Amino acid sequence: MIIIKSIFPKNENEIELVRFIGRFQYLSNKDVKYFFNDTYYPKRIAKLIRNNILRRYKKYLVLAENGQYFMKIIGQKASQLRYDKKYTDRLKFISHLAALYNKDTKISFTPSFEIKDKTAFTESSRKFIGILNIFGVKYLTYHISEEHTEKYIRAVIFDLQKETNYKNILILVNDIDRINLKDFAFGFNSVIISNDTDEELEKLKYINQVNWPQIIQKLYKNTVHISEYNSCDYTNNKDKYISTFYLLDAEKINRIKVFLQSNERKQADIVCSQEIVNLLGKELPLANYKLINISDFIEKDIKVYG
């Protein structure tokens, strides 16, 4: 009897990888590591390429002919590969973002092309790249790269002025200095502004896992309590009006500014890390800053049960 071995992947990690590429079209060679738990994955990739499941396109992996066929067998739709640079730059960043969070149970990413209503021009022409769900909080996510012009930034602002479905926004940008924070306050719960580096993207995982009560207890003991006002996070309703920052939040900055303008004799305390104090200082120069190593107060081991 002659046994014909299937060329299709059977390993769970390999199948996950091929499915991912079928979904996102491109995967950077540098992002392959997010799909395997061992160091032997280059051999696995070589085999997938040899079997014409995947092929290399410049510095990326894309589906090959047998990979397209594999998608049909497992019932997953695979989009036709796009090559135009303006669109592929966007696709490649979306792919990187999704790959980075691929195995994290506390965060998931849904790309814009799976959300937008393609029959509605006003929806399909919008600039957001997807939805990041971080520990149950959904962030409508935008990316402003070094390729994007001031005109594109204005288009993002116009986009947000029309937004009604989401209350938390995330703006990933190659250089925060390009963003005028006062232009990004619209009345949402939060508008988080973050650099698009891997280091900053890693920090995003823990945006909702900072133990702020423990930090406040360390700094203020039992002299303050959670504020019932949106102008600060903690207060003693007398002379302590405290706001906490893990990352830049344009909405929170604007709320503090309004509070200080209306209460000239009040003092605002801001608790943050050394990394963002200079950026906050430009926006709120009269605030009293208390610096702390926030990474010491992140509860990374919190488990999520589905």
Side-chain angles (χ1 to χ4, degrees):
M1 178 184 293
I2 299 176
I3 299 176
I4 301 176
K5 294 183 179 180
S6 171
I7 63 169
F8 295 127
K10 295 183 177 65
N11 176 270
E12 194 173 300
N13 290 334
E14 292 176 16
I15 293 173
E16 181 186 15
L17 174 77
V18 176
R19 289 175 65 98
F20 181 95
I21 296 174
R23 183 183 179 194
F24 292 94
Q25 299 190 40
Y26 289 88
L27 179 67
S28 169
N29 293 329
K30 295 179 180 179
D31 290 339
V32 173
K33 62 186 178 182
Y34 298 120
F35 294 83
F36 296 93
N37 300 319
D38 56 58
T39 58
Y40 301 103
Y41 61 82
K43 292 182 179 179
R44 297 178 183 271
I45 298 301
K47 183 179 178 182
L48 290 170
I49 292 173
R50 189 165 60 249
N51 289 336
N52 206 31
I53 303 295
L54 301 177
R55 64 183 176 90
R56 295 194 186 278
Y57 179 74
K58 298 181 179 179
K59 296 180 180 180
Y60 291 83
L61 290 171
V62 300
L63 288 184
E65 184 177 358
N66 288 336
Q68 293 281 355
Y69 185 52
F70 181 64
M71 289 294 98
K72 292 180 180 179
I73 291 174
I74 64 176
Q76 179 178 321
K77 183 179 179 181
S79 302
Q80 190 71 26
L81 189 65
R82 298 284 295 269
Y83 293 96
D84 45 312
K85 186 179 186 304
K86 185 177 180 180
Y87 188 71
T88 57
D89 284 350
R90 176 187 175 91
L91 276 180
K92 289 170 182 177
F93 183 80
I94 286 175
S95 170
H96 175 61
L97 197 61
L100 183 66
Y101 301 132
N102 180 58
K103 289 190 178 296
D104 197 295
T105 58
K106 299 181 290 294
I107 185 167
S108 62
F109 179 71
T110 305
S112 56
F113 54 76
E114 292 181 355
I115 301 168
K116 294 179 179 179
D117 180 0
K118 300 303 181 182
T119 64
F121 173 78
T122 54
E123 183 70 13
S124 61
S125 63
R126 294 186 61 187
K127 306 301 182 185
F128 70 91
I129 62 170
I131 306 295
L132 263 178
N133 187 326
I134 308 174
F135 222 100
V137 180
K138 293 181 179 179
Y139 294 84
L140 186 67
T141 304
Y142 291 78
H143 182 223
I144 299 172
S145 73
E146 59 185 352
E147 305 292 333
H148 290 136
T149 63
E150 289 300 314
K151 181 180 179 181
Y152 185 88
I153 295 176
R154 290 195 298 272
V156 170
I157 293 171
F158 181 66
D159 235 25
L160 290 170
Q161 289 171 340
K162 299 183 297 180
E163 178 55 42
T164 58
N165 294 325
Y166 294 91
K167 298 303 180 184
N168 295 287
I169 312 298
L170 173 62
I171 312 290
L172 302 173
V173 61
N174 72 301
D175 181 2
I176 286 181
D177 287 336
R178 298 180 64 192
I179 299 297
N180 191 336
L181 293 180
K182 69 179 179 61
D183 292 337
F184 284 83
F186 308 94
F188 296 116
N189 290 344
S190 65
V191 175
I192 304 299
I193 312 290
S194 172
N195 280 318
D196 63 3
T197 62
D198 284 1
E199 181 181 4
E200 293 299 303
L201 293 176
E202 184 72 22
K203 284 183 182 180
L204 279 173
K205 293 182 180 181
Y206 309 111
I207 192 171
N208 297 310
Q209 291 174 245
V210 179
N211 192 332
W212 288 114
Q214 187 177 355
I215 292 174
I216 296 301
Q217 174 65 22
K218 178 181 176 67
L219 294 174
Y220 296 92
K221 307 305 179 186
N222 296 315
T223 62
V224 298
H225 54 80
I226 295 175
S227 174
E228 63 269 32
Y229 309 109
N230 67 359
S231 56
C232 61
D233 297 307
Y234 295 86
T235 184
N236 64 357
N237 294 110
K238 183 181 178 182
D239 58 0
K240 297 293 182 184
Y241 300 90
I242 306 155
S243 296
T244 60
F245 284 84
Y246 176 56
L247 297 171
L248 289 183
D249 182 345
E251 292 287 5
K252 183 179 282 191
I253 289 170
N254 185 63
R255 289 194 289 266
I256 297 170
K257 282 183 177 180
V258 172
F259 169 76
L260 292 177
Q261 289 168 0
S262 303
N263 302 273
E264 294 182 357
R265 295 184 179 181
K266 303 293 186 182
Q267 176 69 55
D269 281 9
I270 292 179
V271 181
C272 66
S273 66
Q274 182 69 50
E275 288 83 357
I276 63 171
V277 66
N278 289 336
L279 291 167
L280 284 171
K282 292 178 183 178
E283 301 295 324
L284 300 164
L286 300 180
N288 178 41
Y289 289 89
K290 292 183 177 291
L291 303 184
I292 197 157
N293 187 1
I294 294 176
S295 62
D296 291 341
F297 297 89
I298 292 177
E299 299 180 346
K300 294 184 178 182
D301 295 330
I302 294 176
K303 297 185 183 299
V304 178
Y305 299 94

